[in-house]
Amino acid sequence: MSGRRVVIAGLGDVGVLTAIKLAKHADVVGISAKPGLVSGQELGWRLARPDDWARHNWIPFGRFRGLDSVRTVHGTLTGADLDARTVTVELPDGSSTEVPYDVLVIATGVANGFWRRPVLQSADDIGDDLRMPHEKLSAAKSVMIVGGGAAAVSSAAQIANAWPDKQVELYFPGDRALIGHHPRTWEKVQRRLIDAGVRLRPGHRAELAPGFTGDELTSEPVRWSTGQPPSSAEVVLWAIGRVRPNTGWLPPELLDEHGFVRVTPELRVPGRPEVFAVGDVAATDPLRSSARNRADGLLARNIRAAFGGKPLRDYRAPKRRWGSVLGIQPDGLEVFAPNGTAFRFPAWTFDRVLMPLFVRWGIYRGVRQENS
């Protein structure tokens, strides 16, 4: 593979991991609207304790040892010429450049709320994005979270634990939240939410104006299409899963009817053997689960196999979501398996074992200290 260029469009969680796994096997170029990895995970932790969250989830690219040989381009993707095998990037100074590729990996993810936006940002911009929502929540006496997924649930738990004097309410449309997880997961999480003082409001589906995406914290009363009277709080956090794929720069023929990138089971784009897609942007399955199931390893292996003329392997999606739902809590980290079984790691292991050894070395293959 020496001399082959792989361009990775998008350096979020899965893009960074893919780049690290390919760095020793190809000439890798990564394109990102951010100057580092800004994870889209653990929204509740980010809102309640942004400084702690940032230590583990906002990491400049230069700190990743595995990216030392990877060239990163800070800019916004604006187009792709599939026949010429180039992508166009608008740089921070307003100029444009074309980046050629032998293989293109589309990992541009989705937009989802104020915490996952594809806009070009500097380090200062990212700092503002972390600080301002936290300050609004800190000043509020009452908080409503609207949504039933992991982002909504973790936000409710983290906000309630960080500010025990606040009134925190979680509104979701069904009889239970976390419908993508095993029912046993919700049973355990529900108890934790109640113990934290969160008021659960099942059966509430928000009445949304056309085009509303919930990308900002709001304060107006929320109306319900399910018949309940309007509800109010000083701050309303919307975690309603209105995701939009970041694919406006791609030719329409690559996309499905919802704007996600069509892929074969090998994570290859049909009709374009030199183009792959992975993560939330890839239409692998209804949950688009390749973002959360270490598909980066399979993708890197398939790209190496493609260069060598060897068979590619299929991505097999799990039927249920799994992982940490609530994030790190005062008593530790709880991780849920697809069957709802919970595994608990004591709090002391998080900073001493899990993050430095398992994550920074085991997954990212080395992350330098901030002052190194």
Side-chain angles (χ1 to χ4, degrees):
M1 288 179 60
S2 177
R4 302 288 189 102
R5 171 172 287 187
V6 178
V7 169
I8 299 177
L11 289 176
D13 295 288
V14 70
V16 164
L17 289 170
T18 303
I20 289 172
K21 287 182 172 59
L22 288 171
K24 293 183 178 179
H25 304 279
D27 172 21
V28 179
V29 178
I31 301 169
S32 174
K34 322 296 182 189
L37 171 63
V38 183
S39 176
Q41 306 300 313
E42 305 287 2
L43 174 61
W45 188 21
R46 169 177 171 152
L47 293 171
R49 293 178 289 160
D51 291 339
D52 290 342
W53 180 92
R55 282 194 299 116
H56 301 294
N57 294 284
W58 156 214
I59 305 172
F61 295 131
R63 290 179 54 200
F64 290 98
R65 296 180 187 276
L67 295 181
D68 284 350
S69 63
V70 173
R71 182 166 72 91
T72 58
V73 179
H74 185 203
T76 304
L77 287 150
T78 58
D81 186 331
L82 301 182
D83 293 328
R85 297 194 181 187
T86 62
V87 296
T88 304
V89 184
E90 182 177 324
L91 303 175
D93 63 4
S95 64
S96 293
T97 185
E98 290 189 349
V99 182
Y101 63 83
D102 294 300
V103 164
L104 173 63
V105 175
I106 303 168
T108 42
V110 296
N112 183 17
F114 56 83
W115 59 95
R116 298 179 75 180
R117 300 187 296 153
V119 298
L120 188 71
Q121 288 185 304
S122 66
D124 288 342
D125 295 331
I126 294 167
D128 290 342
D129 267 4
L130 293 176
R131 175 179 52 81
M132 289 189 292
H134 172 78
E135 291 179 353
K136 286 184 179 180
L137 289 167
S138 179
K141 294 181 180 179
S142 59
V143 178
M144 284 175 53
I145 298 97
V146 183
V153 169
S154 73
S155 296
Q158 292 279 358
I159 291 169
N161 282 319
W163 296 289
D165 57 333
K166 290 189 193 305
Q167 175 182 302
V168 180
E169 297 179 287
L170 174 63
Y171 291 80
F172 47 94
D175 293 332
R176 68 178 181 92
L178 301 179
I179 58 173
H181 293 71
H182 195 283
R184 282 197 293 266
T185 299
W186 171 240
E187 291 174 7
K188 296 180 177 69
V189 170
Q190 180 179 349
R191 290 196 296 270
R192 287 199 158 266
L193 291 169
I194 293 172
D195 290 345
V198 177
R199 301 179 184 181
L200 303 181
R201 308 297 190 197
H204 286 69
R205 184 177 295 277
E207 187 177 283
L208 305 177
F212 180 80
T213 57
D215 284 356
E216 302 292 339
L217 296 172
T218 62
S219 57
E220 294 78 15
V222 177
R223 300 183 181 278
W224 310 104
S225 63
T226 39
Q228 298 89 347
S231 305
S232 299
E234 289 189 21
V235 172
V236 181
L237 168 63
W238 299 87
I240 52 178
R242 288 290 178 96
V243 301
R244 289 89 64 201
N246 297 323
T247 53
W249 60 284
L250 288 169
E253 62 264 26
L254 299 191
L255 312 178
D256 68 10
E257 65 273 21
H258 303 294
F260 295 92
V261 181
R262 294 181 293 111
V263 290
T264 67
E266 299 92 354
L267 302 178
R268 223 171 195 172
V269 173
R272 290 287 176 176
E274 75 283 1
V275 182
F276 294 77
V278 69
D280 283 315
V281 77
T284 51
D285 59 282
L287 297 177
R288 298 187 307 280
S289 61
S290 68
R292 291 161 291 276
N293 289 281
R294 303 308 309 277
D296 52 279
L298 172 70
L299 175 59
R301 184 235 172 247
N302 278 353
I303 291 173
R304 296 196 302 270
F307 278 137
K310 298 178 180 179
L312 277 61
R313 295 178 182 172
D314 289 356
Y315 171 70
R316 301 185 185 280
K319 295 181 179 179
R320 295 185 184 275
R321 295 191 186 276
W322 65 279
S324 166
V325 174
L326 300 179
I328 182 66
Q329 298 285 305
D331 59 350
L333 179 70
E334 201 165 33
V335 177
F336 294 90
N339 66 0
T341 301
F343 301 90
R344 174 171 297 282
F345 298 91
W348 67 268
T349 65
F350 186 78
D351 283 316
R352 299 184 192 177
V353 179
L354 290 178
M355 294 309 297
L357 299 180
F358 181 72
V359 175
R360 293 187 176 183
W361 278 108
I363 295 179
Y364 288 121
R365 300 184 180 178
V367 179
R368 298 180 179 90
Q369 297 298 319
E370 293 185 54
N371 57 358
S372 62

